[in-house]
Structure formats: C-alpha cells, structure tokens
C-alpha cells in the first residue's frame, strides 16, 4: 500500500493517508475462505477506497475476475495507481485485472451499461462522508445503485456509532 506524504492536501481529510479500522476489518473479512469463494470470478468495485486495502486484499488473495479501486480525490487515485502498479509488478494479483480510477459521487456518470456494472461493491468508512445534511447518504446510495448489478452484493464496514445505525 502506497501512502501519500504528510504535506499532501487531500479533499476528504486524512482517509487517503491511513488505513482505518473499518478498512482493516473489511480486508480481513474478504480474505476469509468463505468470502473469497463468494468473490471468485466476480467483478469487484471498491468505492471511497482511500489506501485501497480491502480491494487490494481481494485482488491479492481472491480469484476475482477484476478489482477496480476508486476514490473521488485525484491525489488518492494517483496513490492507488502506484499501489496497483507496484503490486502488479510483483505478480501479487495473479490473473485478476486490477485498476484504479477517479469516481466522484457528486458528478452523475453517463449511463452505465449493464456490462459495466459490478457483482460486488466494497465500501469502508464511506458512511461518514456527508454532502447533504438532510440526506447524508444519498450520494453513496446513488453511486451504489448506479454501479451495482441488480443481483449484486454490497459489503459495507463502518464504525459502530450513530452513522452506521442511521445508514
């Protein structure tokens, strides 16, 4: 995992500079044999990836068809690309296709075709991201709906507090 330097200004606070306990828990969860089997041959999207630990864990220890790490912060995305490149050079991902790209929840994407959608969406610490005080989870839910296949699976990890309960 490549981390941005301390002097780097990030759009959404320090989330792209450290591995949160939620990201660590999700990475551990997806690396369990039962979950790895569930992710086998699936297209996986991690949203709000930060350092991308859960997605990188799926890519390295699972047999997913592809794993795509996304974040809204261009600086974070550049760091994700470095992590993907460094791990890919070492052959850590096997046959799994891995990429990193910018996905801003506030910008409506062009129509997403079904073949572009994902079997699994991963999200760690995304429920604390607040854009609208009246409906703080609307951007997250819209993003998941847009990118997840109709019969897809969403795995969300967050802190045990009111934010998770409200979600």
């Amino acid at each position: 995992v490549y981390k941005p330097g301390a002097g780097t200004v990030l759009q959404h606070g320090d989330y792209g500079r450290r591995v949160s306990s939620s990201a660590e828990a999700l990475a551990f969860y997806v690396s369990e044999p039962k979950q790895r089997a569930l992710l086998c041959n699936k297209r996986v999207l991690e949203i709000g990836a930060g350092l991308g630990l859960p997605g990188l864990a799926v890519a390295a220890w699972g047999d997913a068809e592809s794993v795509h790490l996304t974040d809204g912060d261009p600086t974070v995305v550049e760091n994700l690309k470095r992590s993907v490149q460094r791990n890919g050079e070492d052959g850590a991902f096997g046959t799994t296709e891995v990429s990193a790209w910018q996905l801003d929840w506030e910008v409506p994407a062009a129509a997403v075709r079904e073949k572009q959608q994902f079997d699994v969406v991963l999200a760690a610490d995304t429920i604390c991201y607040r854009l609208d005080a009246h409906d703080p989870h609307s951007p997250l839910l819209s993003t998941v709906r847009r990118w997840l296949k109709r019969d897809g699976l969403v795995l969300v990890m967050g802190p045990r507090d009111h934010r998770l309960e409200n979600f």
Side-chain angles (χ1 to χ4, degrees), residues 44-61:
V44 179
L45 175 70
E46 182 177 5
I47 59 174
L51 293 176
L53 183 62
L56 291 170
V58 170
W61 296 320

Side-chain angles (χ1 to χ4, degrees), residues 4-116:
T8 308
V9 177
L10 303 175
Q11 287 180 349
H12 306 294
D14 244 7
Y15 291 103
R17 198 180 327 268
R18 63 180 172 78
V19 175
S20 69
S21 56
S22 299
E24 195 174 334
L26 185 54
F28 179 79
Y29 181 78
V30 297
S31 65
E32 290 287 311
K34 193 177 194 179
Q35 275 47 260
R36 286 177 29 201
L38 189 68
L39 300 170
C40 186
N41 298 317
K42 303 293 185 191
R43 296 188 67 231
V44 179
L45 175 70
E46 182 177 5
I47 59 174
L51 293 176
L53 183 62
L56 291 170
V58 170
W61 296 320
D63 289 316
E65 176 186 317
S66 62
V67 176
H68 304 271
L69 311 170
T70 67
D71 200 279
D73 187 322
T75 302
V76 171
V77 172
E78 288 307 311
N79 292 321
L80 287 169
K81 287 179 180 179
R82 286 188 194 115
S83 290
V84 167
Q85 180 183 6
R86 288 182 180 176
N87 285 285
E89 289 169 354
D90 294 339
F93 304 136
T95 60
T96 301
E97 173 195 340
V98 184
S99 70
W101 40 279
Q102 186 172 358
L103 178 60
D104 187 337
W105 302 350
E106 297 177 71
V107 178
V112 177
R113 294 189 308 269
E114 188 173 330
K115 68 179 184 177
Q116 293 175 307

